[in-house]
């Protein structure tokens, strides 16, 4: 195995560990039901995707979710959904950025990744995540949490479209802004870790 590849794997592992820690630093958003929380754990994956390529970004998502599954109590369902969404975000952004390594390319890649993640969140929540959680919290209780915010919501399908999809997109875009602000500062450190500096 080449020195560069070992360096890439080491950096991916470090960023995966950071993403795992950030996954625990979650907080509720006033305009969302209390069981939906915000965290910055996709940010390291986006850094990895831009610095090392889409596979590295996807691996960061895999590492954080495997680690999180051991202690979250969601039986891996929440982590599977988080991985699918995060991997689509970081993987897409990293793949597109490889074709156009510029600031404009990074912005375009990130926005497309965030849109794809938001779109995938709808079927993922509707068909996988929420049906699983109905075993612990009845569907009517879940819906009532949305109705406290918007009484006319009427159905889980509408709730996911009105609340979850935009939330997922905004969450992705906040990670994008962070990445664009910090990437230049972090990049030399990553290259140094990789043995390039």
């Amino acid at each position: 195995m080449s020195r560069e590849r070992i360096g890439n794997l080491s950096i991916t592992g470090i960023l995966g560990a950071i993403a795992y820690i950030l996954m625990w630093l979650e907080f509720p958003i006033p305009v969302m039901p209390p069981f939906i929380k915000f965290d910055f754990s996709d940010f390291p994956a986006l850094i990895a995707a831009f610095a090392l390529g889409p596979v590295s970004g996807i691996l960061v998502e895999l590492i954080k979710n495997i680690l999180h599954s051991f202690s979250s109590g969601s039986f891996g369902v929440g982590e599977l959904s988080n991985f699918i969404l995060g991997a689509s975000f970081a993987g897409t952004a990293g793949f597109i950025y490889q074709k156009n390594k510029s600031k404009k390319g990074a912005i375009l890649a990130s926005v497309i990744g965030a849109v794809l993640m938001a779109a995938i969140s709808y079927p993922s929540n509707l068909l996988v995540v929420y049906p699983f959680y109905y075993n612990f919290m009845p569907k009517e209780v879940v819906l009532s949490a949305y109705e406290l915010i918007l009484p006319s919501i009427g159905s889980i399908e509408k709730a996911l479209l009105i609340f979850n999809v935009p939330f997922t997109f905004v969450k992705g875009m906040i990670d994008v802004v962070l990445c664009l602000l910090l990437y230049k500062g972090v990049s030399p450190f990553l290259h140094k870790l990789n043995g390039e500096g």
Side-chain angles (χ1 to χ4, degrees):
M1 190 179 289
S2 69
R3 185 180 172 187
E4 183 184 354
R5 194 165 179 185
I6 292 169
N8 285 354
L9 286 172
S10 300
I11 294 165
T12 299
I14 291 167
L15 289 172
I18 292 169
Y20 166 67
I21 293 165
L22 290 175
M23 206 171 181
W24 285 107
L25 303 176
E26 57 183 13
F27 51 91
I29 303 293
V31 294
M32 297 294 290
F35 51 81
I36 297 174
K37 294 181 172 66
F38 182 91
D39 66 69
F40 295 101
S41 65
D42 291 323
F43 164 60
L46 195 58
I47 290 279
F50 284 161
L52 306 173
V55 173
S56 182
I58 292 168
L59 285 175
V60 168
E61 294 286 350
L62 183 63
I63 291 166
K64 77 164 185 181
N65 280 294
I66 288 174
L67 292 173
H68 195 264
S69 68
F70 289 117
S71 50
S72 72
S74 74
F75 302 98
V77 174
E79 286 78 19
L80 176 62
S81 174
N82 189 283
F83 170 72
I84 291 168
L85 298 184
S88 65
F89 175 44
T92 300
F95 178 77
I96 295 171
Y97 179 68
Q98 277 193 326
K99 308 293 182 186
N100 181 12
K101 290 190 175 183
S102 65
K103 190 169 184 179
K104 191 180 283 186
I107 293 169
L108 178 65
S110 302
V111 171
I112 292 173
V115 168
L116 182 63
M117 177 171 67
I120 291 173
S121 75
Y122 181 77
S124 173
N125 280 318
L126 184 65
L127 303 174
V128 180
V129 179
Y130 277 43
F132 172 78
Y133 287 124
Y134 295 154
N135 293 312
F136 308 96
M137 188 187 295
K139 187 175 183 178
E140 296 74 23
V141 175
V142 175
L143 182 59
S144 69
Y146 287 100
E147 288 174 336
L148 284 172
I149 304 165
L150 185 63
S152 62
I153 199 75
S155 70
I156 289 293
E157 289 80 4
K158 275 188 185 176
L160 292 175
L161 279 174
I162 293 170
F163 288 94
N164 293 53
V165 171
F167 170 80
T168 304
F169 176 72
V170 170
K171 182 177 182 287
M173 290 310 299
I174 289 171
D175 287 320
V176 168
V177 171
L178 273 176
C179 187
L180 293 174
L181 288 174
L182 300 176
Y183 183 73
K184 268 194 174 179
V186 172
S187 184
F189 175 69
L190 296 179
H191 289 305
K192 193 173 181 180
L193 277 178
N194 206 14
E196 295 175 24

PDB file of all heavy atoms in Angstrom, residues 118-147:
ATOM      1  N   ALA A 118     -31.806  16.086   0.325  1.00  0.00           N
ATOM      2  CA  ALA A 118     -33.154  16.482   0.741  1.00  0.00           C
ATOM      3  C   ALA A 118     -34.213  15.647   0.023  1.00  0.00           C
ATOM      4  O   ALA A 118     -35.201  15.214   0.638  1.00  0.00           O
ATOM      5  CB  ALA A 118     -33.370  17.966   0.464  1.00  0.00           C
ATOM      6  N   ALA A 119     -34.010  15.401  -1.265  1.00  0.00           N
ATOM      7  CA  ALA A 119     -34.973  14.607  -2.044  1.00  0.00           C
ATOM      8  C   ALA A 119     -35.037  13.166  -1.537  1.00  0.00           C
ATOM      9  O   ALA A 119     -36.124  12.595  -1.391  1.00  0.00           O
ATOM     10  CB  ALA A 119     -34.601  14.631  -3.520  1.00  0.00           C
ATOM     11  N   ILE A 120     -33.880  12.584  -1.237  1.00  0.00           N
ATOM     12  CA  ILE A 120     -33.831  11.201  -0.761  1.00  0.00           C
ATOM     13  C   ILE A 120     -34.422  11.083   0.643  1.00  0.00           C
ATOM     14  O   ILE A 120     -34.950  10.037   1.022  1.00  0.00           O
ATOM     15  CB  ILE A 120     -32.382  10.669  -0.807  1.00  0.00           C
ATOM     16  CG1 ILE A 120     -31.932  10.507  -2.275  1.00  0.00           C
ATOM     17  CG2 ILE A 120     -32.249   9.326  -0.080  1.00  0.00           C
ATOM     18  CD1 ILE A 120     -30.473  10.151  -2.430  1.00  0.00           C
ATOM     19  N   SER A 121     -34.347  12.170   1.423  1.00  0.00           N
ATOM     20  CA  SER A 121     -34.852  12.125   2.803  1.00  0.00           C
ATOM     21  C   SER A 121     -36.352  11.809   2.842  1.00  0.00           C
ATOM     22  O   SER A 121     -36.832  11.202   3.813  1.00  0.00           O
ATOM     23  CB  SER A 121     -34.576  13.452   3.529  1.00  0.00           C
ATOM     24  OG  SER A 121     -35.452  14.483   3.096  1.00  0.00           O
ATOM     25  N   TYR A 122     -37.086  12.212   1.809  1.00  0.00           N
ATOM     26  CA  TYR A 122     -38.540  11.972   1.818  1.00  0.00           C
ATOM     27  C   TYR A 122     -38.871  10.473   1.799  1.00  0.00           C
ATOM     28  O   TYR A 122     -39.521   9.973   2.729  1.00  0.00           O
ATOM     29  CB  TYR A 122     -39.218  12.717   0.675  1.00  0.00           C
ATOM     30  CG  TYR A 122     -40.728  12.525   0.668  1.00  0.00           C
ATOM     31  CD1 TYR A 122     -41.532  13.207   1.568  1.00  0.00           C
ATOM     32  CD2 TYR A 122     -41.324  11.638  -0.216  1.00  0.00           C
ATOM     33  CE1 TYR A 122     -42.912  13.010   1.589  1.00  0.00           C
ATOM     34  CE2 TYR A 122     -42.695  11.436  -0.204  1.00  0.00           C
ATOM     35  CZ  TYR A 122     -43.484  12.126   0.700  1.00  0.00           C
ATOM     36  OH  TYR A 122     -44.841  11.923   0.720  1.00  0.00           O
ATOM     37  N   PRO A 123     -38.460   9.713   0.762  1.00  0.00           N
ATOM     38  CA  PRO A 123     -38.771   8.270   0.786  1.00  0.00           C
ATOM     39  C   PRO A 123     -38.083   7.532   1.928  1.00  0.00           C
ATOM     40  O   PRO A 123     -38.636   6.570   2.466  1.00  0.00           O
ATOM     41  CB  PRO A 123     -38.283   7.773  -0.582  1.00  0.00           C
ATOM     42  CG  PRO A 123     -37.313   8.795  -1.058  1.00  0.00           C
ATOM     43  CD  PRO A 123     -37.774  10.097  -0.489  1.00  0.00           C
ATOM     44  N   SER A 124     -36.889   7.983   2.304  1.00  0.00           N
ATOM     45  CA  SER A 124     -36.168   7.328   3.401  1.00  0.00           C
ATOM     46  C   SER A 124     -36.948   7.415   4.708  1.00  0.00           C
ATOM     47  O   SER A 124     -37.139   6.415   5.411  1.00  0.00           O
ATOM     48  CB  SER A 124     -34.786   7.965   3.565  1.00  0.00           C
ATOM     49  OG  SER A 124     -34.142   7.467   4.710  1.00  0.00           O
ATOM     50  N   ASN A 125     -37.438   8.612   5.028  1.00  0.00           N
ATOM     51  CA  ASN A 125     -38.225   8.795   6.250  1.00  0.00           C
ATOM     52  C   ASN A 125     -39.595   8.125   6.151  1.00  0.00           C
ATOM     53  O   ASN A 125     -40.049   7.468   7.090  1.00  0.00           O
ATOM     54  CB  ASN A 125     -38.408  10.287   6.550  1.00  0.00           C
ATOM     55  CG  ASN A 125     -37.191  10.895   7.205  1.00  0.00           C
ATOM     56  OD1 ASN A 125     -36.583  10.310   8.087  1.00  0.00           O
ATOM     57  ND2 ASN A 125     -36.819  12.079   6.764  1.00  0.00           N
ATOM     58  N   LEU A 126     -40.254   8.292   5.007  1.00  0.00           N
ATOM     59  CA  LEU A 126     -41.622   7.787   4.841  1.00  0.00           C
ATOM     60  C   LEU A 126     -41.686   6.257   4.852  1.00  0.00           C
ATOM     61  O   LEU A 126     -42.589   5.677   5.457  1.00  0.00           O
ATOM     62  CB  LEU A 126     -42.213   8.320   3.529  1.00  0.00           C
ATOM     63  CG  LEU A 126     -43.669   7.954   3.249  1.00  0.00           C
ATOM     64  CD1 LEU A 126     -44.603   8.591   4.272  1.00  0.00           C
ATOM     65  CD2 LEU A 126     -44.059   8.383   1.832  1.00  0.00           C
ATOM     66  N   LEU A 127     -40.716   5.607   4.204  1.00  0.00           N
ATOM     67  CA  LEU A 127     -40.796   4.161   3.995  1.00  0.00           C
ATOM     68  C   LEU A 127     -39.952   3.334   4.961  1.00  0.00           C
ATOM     69  O   LEU A 127     -40.215   2.149   5.154  1.00  0.00           O
ATOM     70  CB  LEU A 127     -40.379   3.824   2.551  1.00  0.00           C
ATOM     71  CG  LEU A 127     -41.190   4.512   1.450  1.00  0.00           C
ATOM     72  CD1 LEU A 127     -40.589   4.204   0.090  1.00  0.00           C
ATOM     73  CD2 LEU A 127     -42.651   4.093   1.500  1.00  0.00           C
ATOM     74  N   VAL A 128     -38.918   3.963   5.562  1.00  0.00           N
ATOM     75  CA  VAL A 128     -38.001   3.191   6.418  1.00  0.00           C
ATOM     76  C   VAL A 128     -37.998   3.679   7.862  1.00  0.00           C
ATOM     77  O   VAL A 128     -38.362   2.956   8.791  1.00  0.00           O
ATOM     78  CB  VAL A 128     -36.550   3.220   5.853  1.00  0.00           C
ATOM     79  CG1 VAL A 128     -35.624   2.408   6.753  1.00  0.00           C
ATOM     80  CG2 VAL A 128     -36.515   2.693   4.435  1.00  0.00           C
ATOM     81  N   VAL A 129     -37.587   4.934   8.056  1.00  0.00           N
ATOM     82  CA  VAL A 129     -37.329   5.423   9.409  1.00  0.00           C
ATOM     83  C   VAL A 129     -38.605   5.558  10.239  1.00  0.00           C
ATOM     84  O   VAL A 129     -38.709   5.004  11.338  1.00  0.00           O
ATOM     85  CB  VAL A 129     -36.571   6.766   9.369  1.00  0.00           C
ATOM     86  CG1 VAL A 129     -36.328   7.288  10.779  1.00  0.00           C
ATOM     87  CG2 VAL A 129     -35.243   6.603   8.636  1.00  0.00           C
ATOM     88  N   TYR A 130     -39.593   6.291   9.725  1.00  0.00           N
ATOM     89  CA  TYR A 130     -40.804   6.532  10.515  1.00  0.00           C
ATOM     90  C   TYR A 130     -41.592   5.252  10.790  1.00  0.00           C
ATOM     91  O   TYR A 130     -42.042   5.041  11.922  1.00  0.00           O
ATOM     92  CB  TYR A 130     -41.668   7.609   9.853  1.00  0.00           C
ATOM     93  CG  TYR A 130     -41.217   9.015  10.186  1.00  0.00           C
ATOM     94  CD1 TYR A 130     -39.864   9.357  10.189  1.00  0.00           C
ATOM     95  CD2 TYR A 130     -42.124  10.007  10.515  1.00  0.00           C
ATOM     96  CE1 TYR A 130     -39.441  10.636  10.504  1.00  0.00           C
ATOM     97  CE2 TYR A 130     -41.710  11.303  10.825  1.00  0.00           C
ATOM     98  CZ  TYR A 130     -40.367  11.608  10.817  1.00  0.00           C
ATOM     99  OH  TYR A 130     -39.941  12.877  11.129  1.00  0.00           O
ATOM    100  N   PRO A 131     -41.786   4.365   9.786  1.00  0.00           N
ATOM    101  CA  PRO A 131     -42.484   3.108  10.095  1.00  0.00           C
ATOM    102  C   PRO A 131     -41.816   2.314  11.227  1.00  0.00           C
ATOM    103  O   PRO A 131     -42.503   1.680  12.024  1.00  0.00           O
ATOM    104  CB  PRO A 131     -42.431   2.345   8.763  1.00  0.00           C
ATOM    105  CG  PRO A 131     -42.394   3.417   7.734  1.00  0.00           C
ATOM    106  CD  PRO A 131     -41.547   4.512   8.335  1.00  0.00           C
ATOM    107  N   PHE A 132     -40.480   2.357  11.280  1.00  0.00           N
ATOM    108  CA  PHE A 132     -39.780   1.665  12.370  1.00  0.00           C
ATOM    109  C   PHE A 132     -40.097   2.325  13.714  1.00  0.00           C
ATOM    110  O   PHE A 132     -40.404   1.639  14.692  1.00  0.00           O
ATOM    111  CB  PHE A 132     -38.268   1.684  12.120  1.00  0.00           C
ATOM    112  CG  PHE A 132     -37.479   1.152  13.284  1.00  0.00           C
ATOM    113  CD1 PHE A 132     -37.383  -0.210  13.518  1.00  0.00           C
ATOM    114  CD2 PHE A 132     -36.839   2.021  14.163  1.00  0.00           C
ATOM    115  CE1 PHE A 132     -36.660  -0.699  14.606  1.00  0.00           C
ATOM    116  CE2 PHE A 132     -36.125   1.541  15.250  1.00  0.00           C
ATOM    117  CZ  PHE A 132     -36.032   0.172  15.466  1.00  0.00           C
ATOM    118  N   TYR A 133     -40.054   3.653  13.754  1.00  0.00           N
ATOM    119  CA  TYR A 133     -40.275   4.352  15.016  1.00  0.00           C
ATOM    120  C   TYR A 133     -41.732   4.299  15.487  1.00  0.00           C
ATOM    121  O   TYR A 133     -42.014   4.526  16.658  1.00  0.00           O
ATOM    122  CB  TYR A 133     -39.782   5.800  14.932  1.00  0.00           C
ATOM    123  CG  TYR A 133     -38.269   5.876  14.930  1.00  0.00           C
ATOM    124  CD1 TYR A 133     -37.581   6.521  13.908  1.00  0.00           C
ATOM    125  CD2 TYR A 133     -37.522   5.285  15.946  1.00  0.00           C
ATOM    126  CE1 TYR A 133     -36.195   6.576  13.901  1.00  0.00           C
ATOM    127  CE2 TYR A 133     -36.143   5.331  15.945  1.00  0.00           C
ATOM    128  CZ  TYR A 133     -35.484   5.976  14.920  1.00  0.00           C
ATOM    129  OH  TYR A 133     -34.109   6.018  14.920  1.00  0.00           O
ATOM    130  N   TYR A 134     -42.653   3.964  14.564  1.00  0.00           N
ATOM    131  CA  TYR A 134     -44.055   3.809  14.974  1.00  0.00           C
ATOM    132  C   TYR A 134     -44.213   2.647  15.960  1.00  0.00           C
ATOM    133  O   TYR A 134     -45.218   2.571  16.668  1.00  0.00           O
ATOM    134  CB  TYR A 134     -44.960   3.565  13.763  1.00  0.00           C
ATOM    135  CG  TYR A 134     -45.053   4.722  12.791  1.00  0.00           C
ATOM    136  CD1 TYR A 134     -45.359   4.504  11.447  1.00  0.00           C
ATOM    137  CD2 TYR A 134     -44.835   6.037  13.208  1.00  0.00           C
ATOM    138  CE1 TYR A 134     -45.439   5.561  10.548  1.00  0.00           C
ATOM    139  CE2 TYR A 134     -44.918   7.091  12.311  1.00  0.00           C
ATOM    140  CZ  TYR A 134     -45.215   6.843  10.973  1.00  0.00           C
ATOM    141  OH  TYR A 134     -45.290   7.886  10.080  1.00  0.00           O
ATOM    142  N   ASN A 135     -43.226   1.757  15.998  1.00  0.00           N
ATOM    143  CA  ASN A 135     -43.261   0.662  16.975  1.00  0.00           C
ATOM    144  C   ASN A 135     -43.100   1.180  18.406  1.00  0.00           C
ATOM    145  O   ASN A 135     -43.494   0.504  19.360  1.00  0.00           O
ATOM    146  CB  ASN A 135     -42.150  -0.355  16.684  1.00  0.00           C
ATOM    147  CG  ASN A 135     -42.377  -1.083  15.370  1.00  0.00           C
ATOM    148  OD1 ASN A 135     -43.463  -1.564  15.108  1.00  0.00           O
ATOM    149  ND2 ASN A 135     -41.348  -1.150  14.554  1.00  0.00           N
ATOM    150  N   PHE A 136     -42.487   2.352  18.539  1.00  0.00           N
ATOM    151  CA  PHE A 136     -42.230   2.919  19.863  1.00  0.00           C
ATOM    152  C   PHE A 136     -43.082   4.157  20.138  1.00  0.00           C
ATOM    153  O   PHE A 136     -43.374   4.485  21.275  1.00  0.00           O
ATOM    154  CB  PHE A 136     -40.746   3.294  19.986  1.00  0.00           C
ATOM    155  CG  PHE A 136     -39.825   2.169  19.613  1.00  0.00           C
ATOM    156  CD1 PHE A 136     -39.285   2.080  18.340  1.00  0.00           C
ATOM    157  CD2 PHE A 136     -39.519   1.173  20.526  1.00  0.00           C
ATOM    158  CE1 PHE A 136     -38.444   1.036  17.988  1.00  0.00           C
ATOM    159  CE2 PHE A 136     -38.678   0.123  20.190  1.00  0.00           C
ATOM    160  CZ  PHE A 136     -38.134   0.048  18.914  1.00  0.00           C
ATOM    161  N   MET A 137     -43.438   4.860  19.063  1.00  0.00           N
ATOM    162  CA  MET A 137     -44.241   6.074  19.180  1.00  0.00           C
ATOM    163  C   MET A 137     -45.328   6.016  18.112  1.00  0.00           C
ATOM    164  O   MET A 137     -45.019   6.070  16.922  1.00  0.00           O
ATOM    165  CB  MET A 137     -43.343   7.314  18.963  1.00  0.00           C
ATOM    166  CG  MET A 137     -44.027   8.641  19.242  1.00  0.00           C
ATOM    167  SD  MET A 137     -42.975  10.063  18.770  1.00  0.00           S
ATOM    168  CE  MET A 137     -41.619   9.909  19.913  1.00  0.00           C
ATOM    169  N   PRO A 138     -46.591   5.845  18.492  1.00  0.00           N
ATOM    170  CA  PRO A 138     -47.666   5.700  17.484  1.00  0.00           C
ATOM    171  C   PRO A 138     -47.656   6.825  16.448  1.00  0.00           C
ATOM    172  O   PRO A 138     -47.272   7.962  16.754  1.00  0.00           O
ATOM    173  CB  PRO A 138     -48.937   5.750  18.338  1.00  0.00           C
ATOM    174  CG  PRO A 138     -48.513   5.313  19.695  1.00  0.00           C
ATOM    175  CD  PRO A 138     -47.098   5.808  19.865  1.00  0.00           C
ATOM    176  N   LYS A 139     -48.099   6.467  15.254  1.00  0.00           N
ATOM    177  CA  LYS A 139     -48.120   7.417  14.141  1.00  0.00           C
ATOM    178  C   LYS A 139     -48.878   8.696  14.509  1.00  0.00           C
ATOM    179  O   LYS A 139     -48.470   9.807  14.148  1.00  0.00           O
ATOM    180  CB  LYS A 139     -48.759   6.760  12.918  1.00  0.00           C
ATOM    181  CG  LYS A 139     -48.691   7.583  11.653  1.00  0.00           C
ATOM    182  CD  LYS A 139     -49.246   6.789  10.470  1.00  0.00           C
ATOM    183  CE  LYS A 139     -49.129   7.573   9.173  1.00  0.00           C
ATOM    184  NZ  LYS A 139     -49.627   6.794   8.016  1.00  0.00           N
ATOM    185  N   GLU A 140     -49.975   8.540  15.255  1.00  0.00           N
ATOM    186  CA  GLU A 140     -50.799   9.693  15.646  1.00  0.00           C
ATOM    187  C   GLU A 140     -50.018  10.648  16.556  1.00  0.00           C
ATOM    188  O   GLU A 140     -50.184  11.870  16.477  1.00  0.00           O
ATOM    189  CB  GLU A 140     -52.066   9.221  16.376  1.00  0.00           C
ATOM    190  CG  GLU A 140     -53.022   8.392  15.524  1.00  0.00           C
ATOM    191  CD  GLU A 140     -52.529   6.981  15.254  1.00  0.00           C
ATOM    192  OE1 GLU A 140     -51.692   6.471  16.054  1.00  0.00           O
ATOM    193  OE2 GLU A 140     -52.950   6.401  14.240  1.00  0.00           O
ATOM    194  N   VAL A 141     -49.160  10.087  17.403  1.00  0.00           N
ATOM    195  CA  VAL A 141     -48.339  10.908  18.315  1.00  0.00           C
ATOM    196  C   VAL A 141     -47.288  11.677  17.523  1.00  0.00           C
ATOM    197  O   VAL A 141     -47.035  12.859  17.777  1.00  0.00           O
ATOM    198  CB  VAL A 141     -47.674  10.024  19.400  1.00  0.00           C
ATOM    199  CG1 VAL A 141     -46.733  10.853  20.273  1.00  0.00           C
ATOM    200  CG2 VAL A 141     -48.727   9.343  20.253  1.00  0.00           C
ATOM    201  N   VAL A 142     -46.682  10.995  16.550  1.00  0.00           N
ATOM    202  CA  VAL A 142     -45.688  11.645  15.683  1.00  0.00           C
ATOM    203  C   VAL A 142     -46.347  12.796  14.922  1.00  0.00           C
ATOM    204  O   VAL A 142     -45.814  13.920  14.876  1.00  0.00           O
ATOM    205  CB  VAL A 142     -45.063  10.639  14.691  1.00  0.00           C
ATOM    206  CG1 VAL A 142     -44.135  11.358  13.716  1.00  0.00           C
ATOM    207  CG2 VAL A 142     -44.307   9.550  15.438  1.00  0.00           C
ATOM    208  N   LEU A 143     -47.516  12.523  14.344  1.00  0.00           N
ATOM    209  CA  LEU A 143     -48.237  13.549  13.586  1.00  0.00           C
ATOM    210  C   LEU A 143     -48.627  14.719  14.485  1.00  0.00           C
ATOM    211  O   LEU A 143     -48.529  15.890  14.072  1.00  0.00           O
ATOM    212  CB  LEU A 143     -49.476  12.950  12.921  1.00  0.00           C
ATOM    213  CG  LEU A 143     -50.309  13.896  12.048  1.00  0.00           C
ATOM    214  CD1 LEU A 143     -49.474  14.485  10.916  1.00  0.00           C
ATOM    215  CD2 LEU A 143     -51.522  13.162  11.480  1.00  0.00           C
ATOM    216  N   SER A 144     -49.040  14.423  15.713  1.00  0.00           N
ATOM    217  CA  SER A 144     -49.456  15.497  16.632  1.00  0.00           C
ATOM    218  C   SER A 144     -48.311  16.445  16.960  1.00  0.00           C
ATOM    219  O   SER A 144     -48.533  17.626  17.217  1.00  0.00           O
ATOM    220  CB  SER A 144     -50.038  14.899  17.920  1.00  0.00           C
ATOM    221  OG  SER A 144     -49.036  14.262  18.687  1.00  0.00           O
ATOM    222  N   ALA A 145     -47.071  15.933  16.940  1.00  0.00           N
ATOM    223  CA  ALA A 145     -45.905  16.794  17.183  1.00  0.00           C
ATOM    224  C   ALA A 145     -45.755  17.833  16.071  1.00  0.00           C
ATOM    225  O   ALA A 145     -45.370  18.980  16.330  1.00  0.00           O
ATOM    226  CB  ALA A 145     -44.637  15.949  17.297  1.00  0.00           C
ATOM    227  N   TYR A 146     -46.064  17.431  14.836  1.00  0.00           N
ATOM    228  CA  TYR A 146     -46.055  18.376  13.716  1.00  0.00           C
ATOM    229  C   TYR A 146     -47.244  19.333  13.810  1.00  0.00           C
ATOM    230  O   TYR A 146     -47.124  20.518  13.496  1.00  0.00           O
ATOM    231  CB  TYR A 146     -46.103  17.625  12.380  1.00  0.00           C
ATOM    232  CG  TYR A 146     -44.831  16.918  12.006  1.00  0.00           C
ATOM    233  CD1 TYR A 146     -44.681  15.541  12.208  1.00  0.00           C
ATOM    234  CD2 TYR A 146     -43.770  17.606  11.429  1.00  0.00           C
ATOM    235  CE1 TYR A 146     -43.519  14.879  11.851  1.00  0.00           C
ATOM    236  CE2 TYR A 146     -42.607  16.952  11.060  1.00  0.00           C
ATOM    237  CZ  TYR A 146     -42.482  15.591  11.278  1.00  0.00           C
ATOM    238  OH  TYR A 146     -41.316  14.941  10.917  1.00  0.00           O
ATOM    239  N   GLU A 147     -48.395  18.802  14.232  1.00  0.00           N
ATOM    240  CA  GLU A 147     -49.617  19.622  14.307  1.00  0.00           C
ATOM    241  C   GLU A 147     -49.536  20.698  15.387  1.00  0.00           C
ATOM    242  O   GLU A 147     -50.215  21.721  15.289  1.00  0.00           O
ATOM    243  CB  GLU A 147     -50.831  18.721  14.545  1.00  0.00           C
ATOM    244  CG  GLU A 147     -51.195  17.894  13.313  1.00  0.00           C
ATOM    245  CD  GLU A 147     -52.305  16.887  13.561  1.00  0.00           C
ATOM    246  OE1 GLU A 147     -52.499  16.477  14.729  1.00  0.00           O
ATOM    247  OE2 GLU A 147     -52.966  16.498  12.574  1.00  0.00           O
TER     248      GLU A 147
END
